[in-house]
């Protein structure tokens, strides 16, 4: 299993996701999303797995604006430029991905 967790250091759900994998002794790589962002292909792969709208953080001030964009490509471009608008944690296991705290999905990955 090759787990990557994209998250924010101050995000409660990100900490819960890290704890979930630590308790099960599953190694993972943590990527600080506001600091490093995501590559375009990574973001597209996650969007393909979960949907573009699931990636938008509803608590972000620009979430309402993003909901009015007509095309997913525009939303992805905005999220690439503003990684703080991405909902966290994003947990990837190869081509599989989740957004938010999803232990029910992760247990099937083990």
């Amino acid at each position: 299993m090759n787990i990557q967790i994209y998250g924010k250091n101050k995000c409660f759900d990100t900490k819960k996701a890290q704890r979930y994998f630590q308790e099960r002794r599953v190694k993972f790589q943590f990527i600080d999303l506001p600091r490093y962002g995501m590559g375009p292909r990574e973001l597209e792969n996650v969007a393909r797995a979960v949907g573009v709208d699931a990636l938008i953080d509803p608590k972000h001030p620009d979430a309402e604006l993003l909901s009015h964009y007509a095309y997913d490509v525009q939303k992805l471009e905005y999220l690439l430029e503003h990684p703080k608008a991405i909902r966290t944690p994003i947990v990837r296991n190869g081509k599989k991905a989740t957004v938010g705290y999803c232990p029910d999905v992760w247990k099937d990955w083990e």
Side-chain angles (χ1 to χ4, degrees):
M1 210 174 348
N2 187 18
I3 302 292
Q4 293 177 315
I5 300 175
Y6 291 86
K8 302 171 188 165
N9 284 323
K10 295 184 179 181
C11 173
F12 183 68
D13 284 342
T14 298
K15 292 180 192 273
K16 285 181 11 183
Q18 289 175 317
R19 192 174 327 116
Y20 176 89
F21 290 106
Q22 285 171 344
E23 289 173 353
R24 285 152 185 80
R25 299 176 199 254
V26 175
K27 291 184 180 183
F28 62 87
Q29 177 186 14
F30 174 73
I31 297 101
D32 187 7
L33 196 54
R35 186 171 183 186
Y36 299 108
M38 283 183 94
R41 283 196 175 166
E42 293 171 352
L43 190 61
E44 288 173 13
N45 287 337
V46 173
R48 201 172 297 120
V50 299
V52 175
D53 291 330
L55 290 170
I56 300 169
D57 185 355
K59 298 176 188 169
H60 192 271
D62 293 340
E64 185 69 27
L65 170 72
L66 283 169
S67 68
H68 295 295
Y69 281 12
Y71 301 104
D72 288 345
V73 173
Q74 294 173 311
K75 294 175 186 178
L76 289 174
E77 287 175 3
Y78 182 89
L79 293 174
L80 279 171
E81 293 175 22
H82 304 91
K84 289 184 179 180
I86 299 174
R87 184 175 168 213
T88 56
I90 295 174
V91 180
R92 289 188 62 201
N93 180 17
K95 292 187 179 190
K96 301 174 190 171
T98 61
V99 178
Y101 184 69
C102 306
D104 295 338
V105 177
W106 303 332
K107 72 178 178 185
D108 294 335
W109 291 357
E110 296 175 12

